[in-house]
Amino acid sequence: MQVHAERKTIFILILGLLSFCLLRGVDCHRRKVKVSHSFDIQYSAISCREHTAFLTDFGGVGDGKTSNTKAFQSAINHLSQFQSQGGSQLIVPPGRYLTGSFNLTSHFTLYLHKEAVLLASQEVSEWEVIEPLPSYGRGRDADGGRYISLIFGTNLTDVIITGANGTIDGQGASWWKEFKNNKLKYTRPYLIEIMFSDQIQISNITLLNSPSWNVHPVYSSNILIQGLTILAPIVPISPNTDGINPDSCTNVRIEDCYIVSGDDCIAVKSGWDEYGIAFGMPTQHLIIRRLTCISPDSAVIALGSEMSGGIQDVRAEDILAINSESGIRIKTAVGRGGFVKDIFVRRMTMKTMKWAFWMTGNYGSHADDKYDKNALPVINGINYSDMVADNVTMAARLEGIDGDPFTGICISNVTISMAAKAKKVPWTCTDVEGLTSSVSPTACNLLPEQVTNCPFPTDVLPIDTIEIKTCSCRTNYFI
Ligand SMILES: *[C@@H]1O[C@H](CO)[C@@H](O)[C@H](O)[C@H]1NC(C)=O
Ligand SMILES: *[C@@H]1O[C@H](CO)[C@@H](O)[C@H](O)[C@H]1NC(C)=O
Ligand SMILES: *[C@@H]1O[C@H](CO)[C@@H](O)[C@H](O)[C@H]1NC(C)=O
Ligand SMILES: *[C@@H]1O[C@H](CO)[C@@H](O)[C@H](O)[C@H]1NC(C)=O
Ligand SMILES: *[C@@H]1O[C@H](CO)[C@@H](O)[C@H](O)[C@H]1NC(C)=O
Ligand SMILES: *[C@@H]1O[C@H](CO)[C@@H](O)[C@H](O)[C@H]1NC(C)=O
Ligand SMILES: CC(=O)N[C@H]1CO[C@H](CO)[C@@H](O)[C@@H]1O
């Protein structure tokens, strides 16, 4: 009887265990049943797409822990087949998606739902090392190669990154630390870099904590950047977290962006010393409008310092600068070569600045010591007008190059209110030529008063006439 009872107990136990497993199995199975979700998507874009897929169709998991690198790569590989069939869009649904770098394709849109967050991987192995930029000759942080950017594209046509203000978080803290401790083997990655491409749109997303620069279009044309929120820590400063850096690009329109940066909010570039001179590709026909910038350590708009391919025809207007080191800054050096010409800035409001205007002809910072000491930059035709600045430590510090003055400087209708602790001499000027009109406090002798309105171009650039479509669809996806 004893034995029988024991057997019975064991039998019941086993039965219990079995049914428990079965029930759990049913339960697990039920959880695995994919549930359909849907939402409406509507956005403005240079092109709409025929084919739609979700990251979750390719194994994407938005739990903040699972790597989605493979999911992104295989999704975009798959979608690249539709390039000549109306293009495709990859939708990132709500969730937090950890990922390493992935490459974009042509006739393609990456769309981030408003609650979608991409989290850049912290694994160094997820960051391939690629060649330095030909116009730079080396990496900015270290000699040799550079880590590929989180979102990368090259030789593309018609590529869009947009969303209902979804987020890309670079999780840059470990990179900043390595940079500060001089531990980097290669140059830090950017968040978005698109090279050798035409027809680019980057709009309505938020970029956080980039390891270095945020948005870097390079050797590209016809670029529309709209509605970006870019935030990088400023206490303490996150190093080199420039907002948007158009570099050797033609026809660029940047508008309605809000940028808090540990470096320049926008830095216009075109290559470095002998490498940039040899590559010879300028940045030109650039519009910047309705920018709000906080840049305590650097410039609202910087031209340079890498400008060896030249910078021409920049039109910036309706800019709000808060607590920034300088408003507009030209940075160059002997050995850069190149030019900065036909620069127009108007209607800039500045609140709490060290320098409203700053030009630096001896920026130094060379790629190597092989630069040509006879390669002098040409700085000519710099027009600033209709500005008000408050709480400014120094109105302007304008330093051209001995024997290579910065010429054609025109500053009109600018009222600068000095800070309580302002420098005694509000303007200092060396090796510059030009004039001022209705500027207070009165400028330096090298920029004499002459009644004029500094010009701002009235012609319309082609990038301002591109057609923007409304793309919309109702989508279903399963997780
Ligand atoms: C970005 O969002 C704003 C405000 O919601 C909207 O007006 C604009 O059309 C959007 N731009 C793009 C390019 O999607
Ligand atoms: C992305 O493109 C770059 C440059 O062509 C290449 O080196 C890299 O391997 C590509 N990455 C992936 C994940 O395909
Ligand atoms: C991309 O375009 C550049 C410039 O035209 C060219 O030098 C390079 O070989 C191209 N790269 C690829 C991967 O096609
Ligand atoms: C986008 O998100 C950022 C960060 O949350 C926020 O500061 C910004 O106001 C948002 N922009 C829009 C247009 O909703
Ligand atoms: C001077 O600039 C201010 C501020 O931008 C503007 O409101 C005003 O109309 C300008 N004056 C002239 C004469 O253009
Ligand atoms: C003026 O600038 C100083 C820093 O230079 C700052 O501490 C102070 O709060 C500012 N004052 C105003 C009224 O913004
Ligand atoms: C003083 C002056 O007019 N400065 C420049 C304003 O912009 C025009 C057009 O580029 C230049 O030719 C001027 O030198």
Side-chain angles (χ1 to χ4, degrees):
M1 280 312 276
Q2 255 321 88
V3 171
H4 194 76
E6 262 174 32
R7 276 205 190 134
K8 208 170 160 189
T9 317
I10 289 168
F11 180 74
I12 289 167
L13 257 172
I14 288 173
L15 205 78
L17 217 77
L18 250 168
S19 54
F20 178 74
C21 288
L22 276 169
L23 279 172
R24 291 268 311 181
V26 168
D27 194 36
C28 289
H29 185 68
R30 224 181 251 149
R31 264 194 257 139
K32 266 190 203 150
V33 163
K34 298 202 167 186
V35 178
S36 162
H37 301 258
S38 68
F39 53 86
D40 293 318
I41 286 170
Q42 186 169 351
Y43 59 90
S44 319
I46 53 173
S47 321
C48 302
R49 310 300 183 194
E50 289 286 324
H51 301 267
T52 299
F54 283 83
L55 185 67
T56 40
D57 302 341
F58 294 83
V61 180
D63 62 0
K65 288 183 261 181
T66 308
S67 171
N68 287 276
T69 313
K70 288 259 145 46
F72 273 110
Q73 290 173 352
S74 49
I76 298 172
N77 274 342
H78 171 78
L79 293 172
S80 65
Q81 69 181 300
F82 300 116
Q83 280 181 21
S84 56
Q85 296 162 48
S88 61
Q89 55 188 355
L90 177 64
I91 299 181
V92 183
R96 295 168 64 77
Y97 301 86
L98 184 68
T99 183
S101 169
F102 57 89
N103 288 345
L104 303 173
T105 188
S106 290
H107 304 291
F108 173 78
T109 300
L110 176 67
Y111 180 93
L112 306 185
H113 182 276
K114 68 176 185 305
E115 282 147 31
V117 181
L118 305 196
L119 297 166
S121 167
Q122 308 272 286
E123 296 284 329
V124 174
S125 63
E126 291 256 37
W127 303 88
E128 190 186 330
V129 176
I130 60 169
E131 293 286 295
L133 292 163
S135 60
Y136 283 68
R138 51 162 289 172
R140 286 306 268 102
D141 294 336
D143 214 352
R146 55 203 196 99
Y147 294 108
I148 195 166
S149 62
L150 181 65
I151 301 181
F152 180 77
T154 191
N155 302 69
L156 305 181
T157 305
D158 177 18
V159 61
I160 300 173
I161 303 171
T162 189
N165 203 18
T167 300
I168 303 174
D169 185 341
Q171 309 205 91
S174 57
W175 295 101
W176 306 328
K177 198 169 150 205
E178 290 214 350
F179 172 79
K180 284 178 186 159
N181 295 337
N182 236 330
K183 289 249 171 67
L184 286 166
K185 260 172 77 188
Y186 303 104
T187 294
R188 283 166 290 164
Y190 305 141
L191 279 191
I192 300 174
E193 180 174 74
I194 300 181
M195 315 207 294
F196 297 118
S197 297
D198 184 43
Q199 301 168 49
I200 302 169
Q201 175 183 331
I202 304 171
S203 60
N204 286 7
I205 53 173
T206 292
L207 305 176
L208 307 177
N209 305 313
S210 179
S212 179
W213 301 353
N214 279 271
V215 179
H216 186 221
V218 57
Y219 321 133
S220 293
S221 52
N222 300 310
I223 303 164
L224 179 62
I225 296 178
Q226 283 182 325
L228 299 191
T229 301
I230 300 181
L231 307 174
I234 49 175
V235 186
I237 284 286
S238 48
N240 309 108
T241 49
D242 296 23
I244 304 168
N245 290 4
D247 196 348
S248 295
C249 287
T250 293
N251 291 332
V252 186
R253 177 170 141 204
I254 300 171
E255 54 193 20
D256 300 303
C257 292
Y258 178 90
I259 304 177
V260 181
S261 174
D263 205 313
D264 302 318
C265 284
I266 294 182
V268 186
K269 296 177 184 282
S270 63
W272 206 3
D273 288 352
E274 67 274 23
Y275 306 100
I277 295 170
F279 202 77
M281 195 168 183
T283 288
Q284 55 192 347
H285 312 308
L286 164 64
I287 295 169
I288 301 169
R289 56 168 79 102
R290 299 185 300 271
L291 165 71
T292 299
C293 166
I294 300 178
S295 168
D297 213 42
S298 210
V300 174
I301 299 173
L303 306 163
S305 84
E306 306 90 332
M307 40 58 71
S308 301
I311 296 172
Q312 183 164 22
D313 189 12
V314 175
R315 309 171 180 196
E317 57 188 340
D318 301 307
I319 313 287
L320 174 60
I322 304 163
N323 185 24
S324 294
E325 187 181 44
S326 59
I328 314 146
R329 183 167 183 202
I330 297 174
K331 309 186 224 180
T332 187
V334 169
R336 285 286 194 283
F339 50 83
V340 175
K341 55 190 184 192
D342 307 331
I343 308 300
F344 308 92
V345 185
R346 69 174 172 188
R347 299 196 301 251
M348 182 157 174
T349 303
M350 297 177 254
K351 295 179 187 295
T352 304
M353 312 288 293
K354 219 180 244 171
W355 293 282
F357 309 121
W358 195 4
M359 298 183 189
T360 308
N362 65 345
Y363 194 78
S365 173
H366 295 290
D368 51 38
D369 54 15
K370 286 181 266 175
Y371 66 90
D372 177 0
K373 310 226 169 13
N374 296 315
L376 300 177
V378 174
I379 313 301
N380 174 242
I382 312 295
N383 295 275
Y384 302 151
S385 60
D386 304 338
M387 302 188 183
V388 177
D390 287 326
N391 200 21
V392 174
T393 310
M394 199 173 165
R397 175 174 165 189
L398 309 180
E399 297 163 348
I401 294 172
D402 184 19
D404 176 32
F406 297 177
T407 58
I409 297 170
C410 185
I411 305 178
S412 68
N413 184 28
V414 173
T415 306
I416 298 173
S417 306
M418 305 307 291
K421 288 185 185 160
K423 296 263 187 214
K424 282 216 176 62
V425 182
W427 290 74
T428 60
C429 306
T430 48
D431 304 298
V432 295
E433 295 171 14
L435 51 89
T436 50
S437 180
S438 305
V439 168
S440 85
T442 306
C444 49
N445 293 336
L446 292 179
L447 301 178
E449 176 82 23
Q450 184 184 313
V451 176
T452 187
N453 289 318
C454 302
F456 194 92
T458 52
D459 63 319
V460 176
L461 291 177
I463 190 67
D464 247 346
T465 62
I466 51 166
E467 194 197 338
I468 311 257
K469 297 164 189 140
T470 299
C471 312
S472 58
C473 60
R474 180 161 185 83
T475 54
N476 273 299
Y477 70 105
F478 299 90
I479 44 172

